[in-house]
Amino acid sequence: MAKEITSRSEDYAQWYIDIVKKAQLAENSAVRGCMVIKPHGFAIWENIRDQMDRMFKETGHQNAYFPLFVPKSLFEAEEKNAEGFAKECAIVTHYRLKNDPDHPGKLIVDPAAKLEEELVVRPTSEAIIWNTYRDWIQSYRDLPLLLNQWANVVRWEMRTRLFLRTAEFLWQEGHTAHATAEEAVAEARQMLDVYAQFAEEWMAMPVIKGAKTANERFAGAEDTYCIEALMQDGKALQAGTSHFLGQNFSKAFDVKFLNENNQQEYVWATSWGTSTRLIGGLIMTHSDDDGLVLPPRLAPVQVIIVPIPKPSEALSEAAEKIMRALRAKGIRVKYDTDMKNRPGFKFAEHEMRGTPVRLGLGERDLLANQVEVARRDTKEKTNVSLDGIADYVETLLETIQQNLFNRARTYRDSHTTPADTFEEFQHILDNKGGFVLAHWDGDGATEEKIKELTKATIRCIPFDGEKEPGKCILTGNPSAQRVLFARAY
RNA sequence: CGGGGCGUAGCGCAGUCCGGUUAGCGCACCUGCUUUGGGAGCAGGGGGUCGUGAGUUCGAAUCCCACCGCCCCGACCA
């Protein structure tokens, strides 16, 4: 047993922190609210990034890069967006330091170096991007404009948590321009589908697609779509959002195009984003009290070969042969050449780091022409013949990927509960947790009241929800379909 | 940003209430030997501005003040 990880049942929040730190994914830095992403954590992010990037390219998008700083006058141009982010912006006011005359060796901000106009450190890039798009778009032939950027953004959060909410985080933000509202909505929906597909097929994290209520909508959006996942403690995590921005930004930044009839029209917009928060979701979907559990498709190392008791000429030679066969199939495999630690220590270590498959290879295995195959997800161990080991491992990795998804979906489904009365609703939230499907009258004030009473919010109005009429659990007013409630991160 | 808790070696902690020689312990680290199929044992060794700053005092990890950070609860938050 891993002695150092707090168990989930004892203290879920501490368990999460323990996993992040013990699996060496990230740690707090000298900067308030900002984390250092360590090599293992960053390798996971690189895998997430690379695959999502492929999916963006396959759907016709290109990457570009826009500045970190947004002049305040541009930032405030789209009023709702500016208002929504105003409370959490870092602002650059000066561009120079100078020696402090009163304290040798110390520096002070040079008051003579005050900027004419303050620069907002981007909390999101709509403003700077739409200001740029104005010059890029003249005609319907320039549309659609389909760009994405991989970047860091800063949101001065009051309370931060590693990966889930940090003051600076890495993300991707897509920003597209279209000739018609229909086309923009279709784009926003398409990208939500891309997110859902990525979450389910790569992260093995089942998600529910839906629309946000007006209260939960992105500042400046006409409509916000999202994917919502359920964590092991019964709380929901918003894993990605895609927004139909209407003409709000094109009007704010005066982005017009000439249509086929030679008439000026404002452009229709979308934006969509996912962040390093996904890693938090990945952790809380699959990991256990022994450490991180990674889906094979995103694991930096998919197979670790542990020589028992330690590397020797014969064992290393056998390991090399296995590695060649696995690599020929595109499997990421590593041989543990550490001479210092004993096998038991290494087993625990690799489990902590979430490596999906471990091959234990000792002299007695060589004699029997076999290897011990251990699965991280189920902890099962099997002896497998070295003949055809690559095929076996290839199949096993797919099996693990599928098993993790099925396991998470079973959990999610068994923690998605309908409620027809407010008492029932509250009881489920307090005792079982998870998603609660309940009727809501569509009124923002009702939503607020429910949140106040239960701390649960409407995660989304599911797209695939049955159009089953009913009565709002709070007001009794008519409702057309159940919406998805949960307490959330 | 409000309430509570905490900050002593890389990590986890004792010591602080009640000031007093050279600040301890476990893990980790270094060296050696014995070990090695689920987190090894023994022996020796290195590592500290006690979160930061300013005070009180002959003397401060310990008392006072301010600040910073972390964790929890709340408010806030795509």
Side-chain angles (χ1 to χ4, degrees):
Chain A
M1 280 294 290
K3 295 158 190 156
E4 297 134 21
I5 297 179
T6 306
S7 70
R8 285 165 291 182
S9 54
E10 189 184 332
D11 184 342
Y12 192 84
Q14 188 59 46
W15 167 82
Y16 175 79
I17 293 164
D18 285 353
I19 297 280
V20 171
K21 293 190 171 169
K22 302 274 161 53
Q24 297 184 61
L25 301 177
E27 62 188 32
N28 287 308
S29 70
V31 189
R32 173 191 198 140
C34 297
M35 63 178 170
V36 172
I37 304 175
K38 301 180 78 173
H40 190 42
F42 201 79
I44 295 168
W45 176 242
E46 286 178 308
N47 287 341
I48 289 173
R49 192 190 60 192
D50 291 351
Q51 175 56 23
M52 287 188 54
D53 201 64
R54 278 192 288 274
M55 295 170 86
F56 297 158
K57 304 255 169 76
E58 280 165 12
T59 44
H61 303 84
Q62 291 182 290
N63 287 327
Y65 187 79
F66 295 86
L68 170 66
F69 303 115
V70 184
K72 190 165 74 69
S73 58
L74 291 185
F75 185 76
E76 65 199 7
E78 208 296 321
E79 285 181 31
K80 281 187 181 155
N81 184 248
E83 197 187 313
F85 285 105
K87 294 187 295 294
E88 50 187 42
C89 287
I91 300 120
V92 180
T93 57
H94 292 74
Y95 59 86
R96 193 164 63 210
L97 298 170
K98 65 173 190 177
N99 290 320
D100 183 348
D102 300 327
H103 301 90
K106 302 284 186 183
L107 296 170
I108 56 168
V109 172
D110 186 346
K114 193 171 187 322
L115 290 171
E116 292 274 318
E117 180 180 1
E118 294 91 341
L119 298 174
V120 176
V121 180
R122 63 180 169 211
T124 183
S125 302
E126 276 80 4
I128 189 76
I129 286 179
W130 279 90
N131 186 61
T132 309
Y133 279 3
R134 180 176 56 243
D135 297 336
W136 290 2
I137 297 168
Q138 314 292 330
S139 139
Y140 72 95
R141 295 179 202 280
D142 297 325
L143 299 173
L145 181 55
L146 306 173
L147 297 187
N148 175 66
Q149 111 166 327
W150 290 95
N152 58 340
V153 288
V154 170
R155 296 179 188 178
W156 215 261
E157 301 285 356
M158 286 296 114
R159 192 173 160 191
T160 58
R161 296 192 70 187
L162 292 166
F163 289 115
L164 296 173
R165 179 172 285 110
T166 47
E168 179 194 13
F169 55 92
L170 304 182
W171 79 339
Q172 59 71 214
E173 47 180 325
H175 296 274
T176 68
H178 305 265
T180 66
E182 296 69 34
E183 196 184 305
V185 168
E187 163 77 3
R189 287 292 299 263
Q190 171 187 242
M191 298 322 289
L192 191 75
D193 288 343
V194 166
Y195 287 161
Q197 188 187 354
F198 175 78
E200 301 200 332
E201 292 181 8
W202 289 74
M203 298 176 68
M205 180 175 79
V207 293
I208 290 177
K209 293 185 280 189
K212 285 291 185 192
T213 61
N215 283 346
E216 300 277 331
R217 204 171 276 159
F218 175 75
E222 292 293 311
D223 219 344
T224 289
Y225 313 132
C226 63
I227 52 172
E228 293 285 330
L230 189 64
M231 304 294 102
Q232 294 178 46
D233 62 345
K235 286 169 77 175
L237 183 77
Q238 177 177 299
T241 50
S242 183
H243 317 289
F244 168 56
L245 301 174
Q247 294 175 313
N248 294 337
F249 285 89
S250 62
K251 285 179 177 166
F253 290 93
D254 196 31
V255 186
K256 291 183 218 164
F257 70 102
L258 270 180
N259 68 18
E260 294 165 66
N261 304 318
N262 204 30
Q263 293 163 325
Q264 291 273 7
E265 280 188 62
Y266 284 109
V267 165
W268 298 85
T270 81
S271 69
W272 25 277
T274 56
S275 71
T276 35
R277 179 179 237 208
L278 287 176
I279 296 176
L282 193 63
I283 295 165
M284 290 197 288
T285 299
H286 304 300
S287 300
D288 60 26
D289 291 349
D290 293 325
L292 191 63
V293 175
L294 289 172
R297 290 189 181 179
L298 292 177
V301 174
Q302 296 170 308
V303 179
I304 183 74
I305 303 176
V306 179
I308 297 167
K310 62 182 179 184
S312 70
E313 205 172 311
L315 292 176
S316 298
E317 193 183 310
E320 284 295 337
K321 198 175 161 192
I322 295 170
M323 284 196 286
R324 276 195 300 276
L326 293 180
R327 283 179 181 145
K329 290 179 173 294
I331 295 168
R332 297 185 287 276
V333 56
K334 203 176 152 189
Y335 178 48
D336 189 337
T337 56
D338 172 54
M339 296 292 282
K340 181 184 162 296
N341 292 299
R342 292 148 47 109
F345 180 89
K346 292 181 183 179
F347 294 168
E349 190 68 15
H350 295 300
E351 279 161 11
M352 184 82 83
R353 292 168 65 85
T355 310
V357 172
R358 182 185 73 234
L359 303 183
L361 188 63
E363 293 288 345
R364 78 183 185 205
D365 296 304
L366 289 188
L367 288 172
N369 191 43
Q370 66 177 30
V371 66
E372 183 190 75
V373 180
R375 291 173 61 160
R376 176 64 183 90
D377 62 337
T378 60
K379 298 298 200 65
E380 286 167 340
K381 292 190 276 197
T382 329
N383 289 321
V384 177
S385 167
L386 280 172
D387 306 324
I389 184 67
D391 287 332
Y392 181 89
V393 169
E394 184 180 41
T395 305
L396 180 60
L397 287 170
E398 273 310 305
T399 303
I400 292 171
Q401 181 80 29
Q402 196 58 48
N403 179 52
L404 288 175
F405 178 74
N406 291 342
R407 201 160 79 176
R409 192 177 49 190
T410 300
Y411 175 84
R412 197 271 311 274
D413 290 347
S414 67
H415 287 80
T416 302
T417 318
D420 293 315
T421 66
F422 188 77
E423 291 67 34
E424 206 182 334
F425 180 79
Q426 183 119 41
H427 185 263
I428 294 164
L429 285 170
D430 289 342
N431 295 285
K432 185 178 172 189
F435 288 133
V436 186
L437 284 165
H439 284 286
W440 165 63
D441 63 12
D443 186 342
T446 304
E447 184 183 9
E448 274 302 313
K449 187 73 182 168
I450 292 172
K451 180 180 174 184
E452 202 178 295
L453 292 169
T454 66
K455 294 187 171 70
T457 50
I458 298 175
R459 302 320 302 156
C460 69
I461 303 162
F463 288 145
D464 62 0
E466 283 177 51
K467 300 292 177 249
E468 165 214 353
K471 287 181 182 172
C472 173
I473 50 162
L474 188 72
T475 64
N477 293 332
S479 144
Q481 81 168 84
R482 289 176 189 270
V483 299
L484 193 69
F485 282 92
R487 290 182 180 142
Y489 276 96

